Amino acid sequence: MKLLRYGPKGQEKPGLLDQNGKIRDLSKVVDDIAGAALSDATLAKLRALDPASLPEVPGEPRIGPCVGSVGKFVCIGLNYADHAAESNLPVPAEPVLFGKWTSAICGPNDDVEIPRNSKKTDWEVELGVVIGKEAKYVSEADALDYVAGYCVINDVSEREWQLEHGTQWDKGKGFDTFGPIGPWLVTKDEIADPQQLDMWLEVDGHRYQNGSTKTMVFGVAALVSYLSKVMSLQPGDVISTGTPPGVGMGVKPAPVYLKAGQTMRLGIQGLGEQQQRTVDAK
């Protein structure tokens, strides 16, 4: 099942993507794709619906972030050994945690703003994990039971602010529009193994990232379990699980960074695609 949110920014409605790629309106069934709507019981209720019985949404509305009212946007750094190598950093012995501010969240095809005076804005295709029920001190064996589904995330990063203004990565990760999420929240029953998903990213048609979640240092179950030991996870919390190699910072012989007027396209097997245009922040 592919769930989504559509409509103007701040006024998104819940929807479902039918087998023909048409958006069906869920607003008479759930208030939003958020919170309690992500529980096993509610997802089972939505799965039992006949999509043809739901109103078809006309035209091509804006697609918003696939999850609403996100409480925490938790990210994992250096979670692919080859990305750690291109960053000239050691493979971590434990997950590296940082946060993106929820104000960074935007729709999967919204414009991405290049911060004022930025010369080092970079891209990162990542697997997103959406929590479906409260997780606290859960075992790795049980961890996937707490997942509602998966999505595509572009962990846009400003490297100067991330690495050259002290040690807090959060500063370079949380600019407005630096967290495109979606297009769909694909429920976990459709993803047989989250550790076997191909992923890619292009800038202006040039393929920079080609990877697979199978090369993660810490898999999804390990991450959910680990995070649940240092914080409780609530329904709608989003985990961005790290990026494979091919980021702009790692391009040889010289890094390549984003500037206004470019187009990023990225996707993950079974989870859909995003496309963003870069613009100067006003």
Side-chain angles (χ1 to χ4, degrees), residues 4 25 33 42 53 74 76 83 87 89 92 97-99 115-117 124 145 171 183 187 194 198 206 227 242 251 282:
L4 65 136
D25 182 12
I33 307 301
T42 302
S53 69
V74 186
I76 311 299
H83 172 55
S87 303
L89 293 167
L97 310 185
F98 62 92
R116 292 182 182 180
N117 303 313
E124 295 189 7
D145 293 341
K171 287 186 286 190
T187 51
D198 294 333
H206 179 83
L227 289 172
V251 173
K282 293 185 170 53

mmCIF file of all heavy atoms in Angstrom, residues 4 25 33 42 53 74 76 83 87 89 92 97-99 115-117 124 145 171 183 187 194 198 206 227 242 251 282:
data_model
loop_
_atom_site.group_PDB
_atom_site.id
_atom_site.type_symbol
_atom_site.label_atom_id
_atom_site.label_comp_id
_atom_site.label_asym_id
_atom_site.label_seq_id
_atom_site.Cartn_x
_atom_site.Cartn_y
_atom_site.Cartn_z
ATOM 1 N N LEU A 4 0.075 8.661 0.789
ATOM 2 C CA LEU A 4 0.685 9.941 0.452
ATOM 3 C C LEU A 4 -0.141 11.075 1.020
ATOM 4 O O LEU A 4 -1.233 10.875 1.558
ATOM 5 C CB LEU A 4 0.789 10.095 -1.065
ATOM 6 C CG LEU A 4 -0.546 10.175 -1.819
ATOM 7 C CD1 LEU A 4 -0.499 11.265 -2.865
ATOM 8 C CD2 LEU A 4 -0.886 8.834 -2.450
ATOM 9 N N ASP A 25 -8.647 9.838 -2.582
ATOM 10 C CA ASP A 25 -8.789 10.694 -1.399
ATOM 11 C C ASP A 25 -9.163 9.860 -0.174
ATOM 12 O O ASP A 25 -10.155 9.129 -0.183
ATOM 13 C CB ASP A 25 -9.862 11.742 -1.673
ATOM 14 C CG ASP A 25 -10.046 12.720 -0.520
ATOM 15 O OD1 ASP A 25 -9.198 12.735 0.384
ATOM 16 O OD2 ASP A 25 -11.052 13.460 -0.536
ATOM 17 N N ILE A 33 -1.992 11.238 7.241
ATOM 18 C CA ILE A 33 -1.043 10.129 7.311
ATOM 19 C C ILE A 33 -0.040 10.513 8.394
ATOM 20 O O ILE A 33 1.030 11.075 8.139
ATOM 21 C CB ILE A 33 -0.346 9.889 5.955
ATOM 22 C CG1 ILE A 33 -1.373 9.734 4.836
ATOM 23 C CG2 ILE A 33 0.559 8.660 6.044
ATOM 24 C CD1 ILE A 33 -2.352 8.591 5.017
ATOM 25 N N THR A 42 -4.984 0.645 12.064
ATOM 26 C CA THR A 42 -5.479 1.587 11.055
ATOM 27 C C THR A 42 -4.945 1.224 9.670
ATOM 28 O O THR A 42 -5.673 1.309 8.677
ATOM 29 C CB THR A 42 -5.092 3.024 11.412
ATOM 30 O OG1 THR A 42 -5.631 3.340 12.700
ATOM 31 C CG2 THR A 42 -5.644 4.005 10.403
ATOM 32 N N SER A 53 -13.561 2.568 -4.431
ATOM 33 C CA SER A 53 -14.662 3.164 -3.675
ATOM 34 C C SER A 53 -14.318 4.555 -3.151
ATOM 35 O O SER A 53 -15.196 5.261 -2.644
ATOM 36 C CB SER A 53 -15.032 2.265 -2.490
ATOM 37 O OG SER A 53 -13.993 2.272 -1.501
ATOM 38 N N VAL A 74 15.294 11.746 12.802
ATOM 39 C CA VAL A 74 16.579 11.240 13.284
ATOM 40 C C VAL A 74 17.372 10.685 12.108
ATOM 41 O O VAL A 74 16.834 9.923 11.289
ATOM 42 C CB VAL A 74 16.374 10.131 14.332
ATOM 43 C CG1 VAL A 74 17.708 9.702 14.933
ATOM 44 C CG2 VAL A 74 15.430 10.593 15.438
ATOM 45 N N ILE A 76 21.173 8.991 10.488
ATOM 46 C CA ILE A 76 22.326 8.144 10.767
ATOM 47 C C ILE A 76 23.451 8.529 9.818
ATOM 48 O O ILE A 76 23.249 8.591 8.598
ATOM 49 C CB ILE A 76 21.985 6.656 10.588
ATOM 50 C CG1 ILE A 76 20.686 6.299 11.325
ATOM 51 C CG2 ILE A 76 23.156 5.789 11.049
ATOM 52 C CD1 ILE A 76 20.711 6.508 12.813
ATOM 53 N N HIS A 83 30.920 4.997 1.761
ATOM 54 C CA HIS A 83 30.702 6.437 1.928
ATOM 55 C C HIS A 83 31.624 6.994 3.009
ATOM 56 O O HIS A 83 32.151 8.104 2.871
ATOM 57 C CB HIS A 83 29.248 6.725 2.289
ATOM 58 C CG HIS A 83 28.980 8.153 2.663
ATOM 59 N ND1 HIS A 83 29.296 9.209 1.846
ATOM 60 C CD2 HIS A 83 28.445 8.700 3.794
ATOM 61 C CE1 HIS A 83 28.961 10.356 2.435
ATOM 62 N NE2 HIS A 83 28.453 10.068 3.619
ATOM 63 N N SER A 87 34.546 9.933 2.552
ATOM 64 C CA SER A 87 34.532 11.081 3.454
ATOM 65 C C SER A 87 35.797 11.155 4.303
ATOM 66 O O SER A 87 35.934 12.044 5.151
ATOM 67 C CB SER A 87 33.302 11.003 4.375
ATOM 68 O OG SER A 87 32.107 10.949 3.643
ATOM 69 N N LEU A 89 36.687 9.203 6.680
ATOM 70 C CA LEU A 89 36.326 8.990 8.075
ATOM 71 C C LEU A 89 36.230 7.489 8.345
ATOM 72 O O LEU A 89 35.895 6.707 7.439
ATOM 73 C CB LEU A 89 34.988 9.664 8.396
ATOM 74 C CG LEU A 89 34.996 11.203 8.346
ATOM 75 C CD1 LEU A 89 33.576 11.757 8.355
ATOM 76 C CD2 LEU A 89 35.798 11.763 9.529
ATOM 77 N N PRO A 92 32.097 3.642 11.605
ATOM 78 C CA PRO A 92 31.774 3.738 13.027
ATOM 79 C C PRO A 92 31.515 2.378 13.673
ATOM 80 O O PRO A 92 30.977 1.463 13.044
ATOM 81 C CB PRO A 92 30.502 4.598 13.046
ATOM 82 C CG PRO A 92 29.911 4.438 11.688
ATOM 83 C CD PRO A 92 31.049 4.239 10.752
ATOM 84 N N LEU A 97 24.613 9.391 15.269
ATOM 85 C CA LEU A 97 23.289 10.004 15.269
ATOM 86 C C LEU A 97 23.388 11.514 15.129
ATOM 87 O O LEU A 97 24.267 12.150 15.698
ATOM 88 C CB LEU A 97 22.542 9.700 16.578
ATOM 89 C CG LEU A 97 22.478 8.255 17.059
ATOM 90 C CD1 LEU A 97 21.588 8.168 18.295
ATOM 91 C CD2 LEU A 97 21.979 7.335 15.968
ATOM 92 N N PHE A 98 22.474 12.085 14.342
ATOM 93 C CA PHE A 98 22.283 13.526 14.313
ATOM 94 C C PHE A 98 20.832 13.782 13.956
ATOM 95 O O PHE A 98 20.085 12.852 13.608
ATOM 96 C CB PHE A 98 23.244 14.221 13.336
ATOM 97 C CG PHE A 98 23.073 13.817 11.897
ATOM 98 C CD1 PHE A 98 22.225 14.533 11.057
ATOM 99 C CD2 PHE A 98 23.766 12.742 11.372
ATOM 100 C CE1 PHE A 98 22.071 14.176 9.719
ATOM 101 C CE2 PHE A 98 23.615 12.366 10.036
ATOM 102 C CZ PHE A 98 22.766 13.086 9.217
ATOM 103 N N GLY A 99 20.404 15.014 14.066
ATOM 104 C CA GLY A 99 19.016 15.335 13.790
ATOM 105 C C GLY A 99 18.876 16.354 12.678
ATOM 106 O O GLY A 99 19.767 17.176 12.442
ATOM 107 N N PRO A 115 21.306 27.646 0.678
ATOM 108 C CA PRO A 115 21.417 28.699 1.698
ATOM 109 C C PRO A 115 22.250 29.880 1.214
ATOM 110 O O PRO A 115 23.119 29.746 0.342
ATOM 111 C CB PRO A 115 22.109 27.977 2.862
ATOM 112 C CG PRO A 115 21.778 26.529 2.670
ATOM 113 C CD PRO A 115 21.761 26.338 1.182
ATOM 114 N N ARG A 116 21.982 31.036 1.768
ATOM 115 C CA ARG A 116 22.729 32.239 1.402
ATOM 116 C C ARG A 116 24.225 32.014 1.583
ATOM 117 O O ARG A 116 24.672 31.504 2.617
ATOM 118 C CB ARG A 116 22.286 33.425 2.259
ATOM 119 C CG ARG A 116 20.859 33.875 1.970
ATOM 120 C CD ARG A 116 20.497 35.073 2.812
ATOM 121 N NE ARG A 116 19.110 35.492 2.586
ATOM 122 C CZ ARG A 116 18.529 36.517 3.204
ATOM 123 N NH1 ARG A 116 19.221 37.246 4.073
ATOM 124 N NH2 ARG A 116 17.265 36.817 2.949
ATOM 125 N N ASN A 117 24.985 32.377 0.583
ATOM 126 C CA ASN A 117 26.452 32.307 0.583
ATOM 127 C C ASN A 117 26.996 30.875 0.610
ATOM 128 O O ASN A 117 28.194 30.674 0.800
ATOM 129 C CB ASN A 117 27.046 33.093 1.762
ATOM 130 C CG ASN A 117 26.611 34.543 1.759
ATOM 131 O OD1 ASN A 117 26.661 35.208 0.724
ATOM 132 N ND2 ASN A 117 26.160 35.038 2.912
ATOM 133 N N GLU A 124 22.230 13.562 -0.842
ATOM 134 C CA GLU A 124 22.383 12.227 -0.259
ATOM 135 C C GLU A 124 21.065 11.469 -0.380
ATOM 136 O O GLU A 124 20.115 11.768 0.356
ATOM 137 C CB GLU A 124 22.781 12.296 1.232
ATOM 138 C CG GLU A 124 24.137 12.911 1.515
ATOM 139 C CD GLU A 124 24.560 12.742 2.970
ATOM 140 O OE1 GLU A 124 23.858 12.032 3.729
ATOM 141 O OE2 GLU A 124 25.583 13.330 3.358
ATOM 142 N N ASP A 145 8.740 -4.847 13.760
ATOM 143 C CA ASP A 145 7.323 -4.802 14.132
ATOM 144 C C ASP A 145 6.873 -3.374 14.437
ATOM 145 O O ASP A 145 5.667 -3.099 14.440
ATOM 146 C CB ASP A 145 7.057 -5.673 15.365
ATOM 147 C CG ASP A 145 7.249 -7.153 15.094
ATOM 148 O OD1 ASP A 145 7.236 -7.546 13.910
ATOM 149 O OD2 ASP A 145 7.424 -7.918 16.059
ATOM 150 N N LYS A 171 23.999 21.506 12.245
ATOM 151 C CA LYS A 171 23.980 22.856 11.666
ATOM 152 C C LYS A 171 23.966 22.818 10.143
ATOM 153 O O LYS A 171 23.369 23.685 9.502
ATOM 154 C CB LYS A 171 25.191 23.660 12.158
ATOM 155 C CG LYS A 171 25.068 24.092 13.612
ATOM 156 C CD LYS A 171 26.207 25.002 14.024
ATOM 157 C CE LYS A 171 27.499 24.257 14.214
ATOM 158 N NZ LYS A 171 28.547 25.098 14.848
ATOM 159 N N PRO A 183 7.926 10.149 -2.549
ATOM 160 C CA PRO A 183 6.538 10.591 -2.623
ATOM 161 C C PRO A 183 5.549 9.777 -1.806
ATOM 162 O O PRO A 183 4.542 10.292 -1.361
ATOM 163 C CB PRO A 183 6.219 10.458 -4.116
ATOM 164 C CG PRO A 183 7.105 9.332 -4.575
ATOM 165 C CD PRO A 183 8.374 9.481 -3.788
ATOM 166 N N THR A 187 3.995 0.824 2.770
ATOM 167 C CA THR A 187 3.872 0.041 3.991
ATOM 168 C C THR A 187 4.770 -1.193 3.940
ATOM 169 O O THR A 187 5.082 -1.721 2.873
ATOM 170 C CB THR A 187 2.412 -0.369 4.239
ATOM 171 O OG1 THR A 187 1.873 -0.980 3.050
ATOM 172 C CG2 THR A 187 1.573 0.853 4.596
ATOM 173 N N PRO A 194 14.085 -4.787 3.615
ATOM 174 C CA PRO A 194 14.597 -3.421 3.442
ATOM 175 C C PRO A 194 16.100 -3.359 3.206
ATOM 176 O O PRO A 194 16.617 -2.291 2.873
ATOM 177 C CB PRO A 194 14.211 -2.737 4.760
ATOM 178 C CG PRO A 194 14.116 -3.843 5.758
ATOM 179 C CD PRO A 194 13.595 -5.023 4.989
ATOM 180 N N ASP A 198 17.828 -1.249 -4.224
ATOM 181 C CA ASP A 198 18.738 -0.417 -5.009
ATOM 182 C C ASP A 198 18.329 1.052 -4.876
ATOM 183 O O ASP A 198 17.146 1.384 -4.754
ATOM 184 C CB ASP A 198 18.706 -0.824 -6.478
ATOM 185 C CG ASP A 198 19.261 -2.221 -6.709
ATOM 186 O OD1 ASP A 198 20.101 -2.665 -5.903
ATOM 187 O OD2 ASP A 198 18.845 -2.870 -7.694
ATOM 188 N N HIS A 206 23.240 13.462 -14.682
ATOM 189 C CA HIS A 206 24.467 12.702 -14.433
ATOM 190 C C HIS A 206 24.280 11.844 -13.188
ATOM 191 O O HIS A 206 23.940 12.358 -12.116
ATOM 192 C CB HIS A 206 25.662 13.639 -14.241
ATOM 193 C CG HIS A 206 26.945 12.919 -13.958
ATOM 194 N ND1 HIS A 206 27.734 12.392 -14.953
ATOM 195 C CD2 HIS A 206 27.568 12.625 -12.784
ATOM 196 C CE1 HIS A 206 28.791 11.809 -14.408
ATOM 197 N NE2 HIS A 206 28.710 11.933 -13.092
ATOM 198 N N LEU A 227 18.212 2.975 18.468
ATOM 199 C CA LEU A 227 17.593 4.266 18.773
ATOM 200 C C LEU A 227 16.614 4.146 19.931
ATOM 201 O O LEU A 227 16.509 5.054 20.766
ATOM 202 C CB LEU A 227 16.884 4.819 17.540
ATOM 203 C CG LEU A 227 17.786 5.300 16.408
ATOM 204 C CD1 LEU A 227 16.957 5.634 15.178
ATOM 205 C CD2 LEU A 227 18.606 6.507 16.830
ATOM 206 N N GLY A 242 21.141 6.818 6.252
ATOM 207 C CA GLY A 242 22.486 6.945 5.700
ATOM 208 C C GLY A 242 22.502 6.817 4.188
ATOM 209 O O GLY A 242 21.549 6.354 3.568
ATOM 210 N N VAL A 251 33.552 13.556 -4.809
ATOM 211 C CA VAL A 251 33.935 13.475 -6.222
ATOM 212 C C VAL A 251 35.423 13.806 -6.371
ATOM 213 O O VAL A 251 35.934 14.759 -5.776
ATOM 214 C CB VAL A 251 33.076 14.432 -7.073
ATOM 215 C CG1 VAL A 251 33.578 14.479 -8.511
ATOM 216 C CG2 VAL A 251 31.603 13.996 -7.036
ATOM 217 N N LYS A 282 15.837 32.953 -0.362
ATOM 218 C CA LYS A 282 15.550 34.393 -0.323
ATOM 219 C C LYS A 282 15.743 34.913 1.079
ATOM 220 O O LYS A 282 15.648 34.218 2.044
ATOM 221 C CB LYS A 282 14.114 34.632 -0.789
ATOM 222 C CG LYS A 282 13.916 34.306 -2.271
ATOM 223 C CD LYS A 282 12.527 34.674 -2.726
ATOM 224 C CE LYS A 282 12.389 34.601 -4.236
ATOM 225 N NZ LYS A 282 12.807 33.330 -4.812
#
